[in-house]
Amino acid sequence: MKTITLNYPWDKELTDKSVVLAVGFFDGVHRGHQKLINDAKAIALEKNIPLMVMTFNHHPQELFSKNKISYITTNEEKALEMEKLGVDYLVIINFTREFSQLSPQEYVDNVLLKLKVDTVVAGFDYTYGPDKSVDNVQNLPKFAKGKFKVKVEPKQTFYGEKIGSTSIRQAIKNGNFPLVKKLLGYPYKISGEIVHGYRRGHQLGFPTANLKINPIKALPKEGVYATRVKIDNKWYEAMTNVGYNDTFDNKELTIEANLFDFSEEAYGKQMTIEWYKFMRGEIKFDSLDGLIDQMKRDEQDIKDYFQDN
Ligand SMILES: Cc1cc2nc3c(=O)[nH]c(=O)nc-3n(C[C@H](O)[C@H](O)[C@H](O)COP(=O)(O)O)c2cc1C
Ligand SMILES: Nc1ncnc2c1ncn2[C@@H]1O[C@H](COP(=O)(O)OP(=O)(O)O)[C@@H](O)[C@H]1O
């Protein structure tokens, strides 16, 4: 897969052949997105032309609202999932104010046709401009004027509810990872560097690898979770705590994992945490022994969980 970042307007041709173009922001590359991209891939294979996905460097809402988006996937994670789906070109357009103000006709002529689109594949609720009553996917053929085909993907649901990035973000926040996995089609992941904590872990008998938190990622609520952690390309079962270490009154939120069957020094390395199950909330203990006993129980509970799952 080739990843291409573009600033509007651009003049270079990206491909020799025309392309099937899947359009969307695709945060999470969830099961709804996967269905859309698989369908687009099938068309591309049948026509023997490349599959291109067009997305933006950040969520369009970042430009219009003060509310920060909690991302399910970083751009790197999104690219990895796209590659798994057989995408040939991932085009990331820098979403600027100028870009946001294109009229639907300019969007078709200066963006879609510039990408040499043969067929556009978009979700049923895809929009491409500020006026959603005009700039919607149902009106796209009108602006396309027969120059390309438009395939609209129907809503994908789970128990009657739309599979969507907003509900997945909420489920992550709620710590409902069995649901998140069903909606995403894969376990939720958070990656980052292992940084220093307060060195209390060793003292408690449970050293923890502390994650440098990427502030754009969606985070689960505070508590203890059954997780799997990857370090140096190897996966370990682990118990991961999200919180302020209430017993010690930390000022900053930490995410820290005690890995089972691991005893290496890992500072500075990358780790990826895969989230499976919320086990309990954080507790403020009066004594270290209380905390240690609880962590022993957590270890057993999480080992039991992985035995059965
Ligand atoms: C599985 C697990 C459960 C934990 N539960 C609690 C808890 O209930 N209350 C608390 O104050 N700290 C809890 N902690 C955090 C410990 O206090 C923390 O690991 C310890 O302070 C080490 O901090 P350090 O990484 O800064 O050395 C938990 C940590 C883990 C890994
Ligand atoms: N089983 C393990 N799980 C997590 N980290 C471990 C483990 N064994 C050794 N370590 C190492 O110990 C370090 C954490 O020790 P700890 O006393 O908790 O200090 P701090 O959290 O302040 O960095 C980790 O960064 C890692 O390099």
Side-chain angles (χ1 to χ4, degrees):
M1 186 179 78
K2 197 168 172 198
T3 301
I4 303 163
T5 307
L6 289 179
N7 285 306
Y8 178 86
W10 65 91
D11 45 27
K12 60 184 171 214
E13 281 205 347
L14 305 184
T15 55
D16 299 332
K17 287 186 179 180
S18 58
V19 302
V20 174
L21 185 71
V23 289
F25 187 66
F26 299 118
D27 187 25
V29 198
H30 58 58
R31 278 184 36 216
H33 299 145
Q34 290 164 25
K35 166 82 167 55
L36 186 154
I37 291 163
N38 285 333
D39 288 351
K41 181 73 187 178
I43 300 171
L45 287 174
E46 197 187 296
K47 293 182 179 255
N48 193 25
I49 56 177
L51 169 61
M52 184 182 278
V53 169
M54 186 186 88
T55 188
F56 306 122
N57 62 326
H58 55 81
H59 199 287
Q61 231 171 284
E62 299 256 15
L63 218 59
F64 307 115
S65 128
K66 285 228 171 354
N67 295 342
K68 285 267 162 244
I69 301 281
S70 297
Y71 290 89
I72 306 166
T73 43
T74 61
N75 288 341
E76 292 76 30
E77 289 166 339
K78 190 189 280 182
L80 281 173
E81 295 304 321
M82 292 293 180
E83 185 150 37
K84 285 186 205 159
L85 294 170
V87 172
D88 299 300
Y89 294 89
L90 176 63
V91 170
I92 304 174
I93 296 181
N94 285 325
F95 193 86
T96 57
R97 208 157 276 280
E98 182 193 2
F99 187 82
S100 76
Q101 282 160 2
L102 295 181
S103 71
Q105 196 62 60
E106 286 171 322
Y107 180 71
V108 163
D109 295 341
N110 303 349
V111 179
L112 300 181
L113 287 172
K114 261 262 144 58
L115 296 172
K116 289 195 155 156
V117 54
D118 170 275
T119 305
V120 166
V121 184
F124 72 103
D125 56 356
Y126 179 71
T127 56
Y128 41 94
D131 184 355
K132 296 191 182 355
S133 65
V134 179
D135 319 330
N136 56 46
V137 71
Q138 290 71 25
N139 277 338
L140 196 51
K142 204 168 77 192
F143 301 109
K145 297 177 180 148
K147 290 184 183 143
F148 57 82
K149 289 169 270 314
V150 177
K151 181 172 189 317
V152 181
E153 284 285 332
K155 177 158 68 172
Q156 298 296 310
T157 59
F158 183 72
Y159 288 105
E161 294 288 319
K162 176 185 151 185
I163 299 175
S165 304
T166 308
S167 56
I168 296 173
R169 285 186 199 112
Q170 194 57 49
I172 292 168
K173 201 169 165 202
N174 294 342
N176 189 349
F177 288 109
L179 175 63
V180 170
K181 186 159 173 265
K182 288 207 168 82
L183 299 174
L184 276 182
Y186 62 90
Y188 184 56
K189 296 182 181 66
I190 305 181
S191 297
E193 191 190 332
I194 299 172
V195 294
H196 287 269
Y198 294 101
R199 208 75 204 158
R200 287 188 209 114
H202 274 108
Q203 199 190 325
L204 297 169
F206 292 100
T208 55
N210 291 45
L211 180 75
K212 181 171 179 185
I213 298 175
N214 179 346
I216 73 164
K217 281 282 282 191
L219 299 184
K221 68 175 177 183
E222 290 164 37
V224 176
Y225 294 85
T227 57
R228 287 198 169 91
V229 173
K230 185 172 79 168
I231 296 180
D232 285 338
N233 247 341
K234 235 186 114 180
W235 287 96
Y236 303 86
E237 292 173 358
M239 48 183 184
T240 297
N241 187 61
V242 181
Y244 293 85
N245 297 183
D246 289 341
T247 308
F248 307 97
D249 280 332
N250 283 1
K251 294 285 170 279
E252 296 209 352
L253 184 83
T254 58
I255 298 181
E256 45 173 335
N258 171 258
L259 285 62
F260 305 153
D261 304 313
F262 179 88
S263 57
E264 293 163 35
E265 203 54 84
Y267 293 119
K269 291 188 176 178
Q270 286 293 119
M271 77 169 157
T272 295
I273 305 178
E274 272 188 0
W275 302 76
Y276 288 90
K277 178 117 176 47
F278 174 81
M279 306 300 290
R280 66 167 176 92
E282 223 186 11
I283 303 167
K284 187 177 172 83
F285 288 96
D286 299 330
S287 70
L288 287 190
D289 285 344
L291 174 58
I292 292 167
D293 285 347
Q294 179 59 51
M295 289 175 81
K296 285 181 183 155
R297 282 195 292 275
D298 293 333
E299 179 174 9
Q300 195 52 54
D301 290 348
I302 290 172
K303 284 184 172 167
D304 289 348
Y305 168 80
F306 280 123
Q307 280 259 304
D308 300 339
N309 288 275

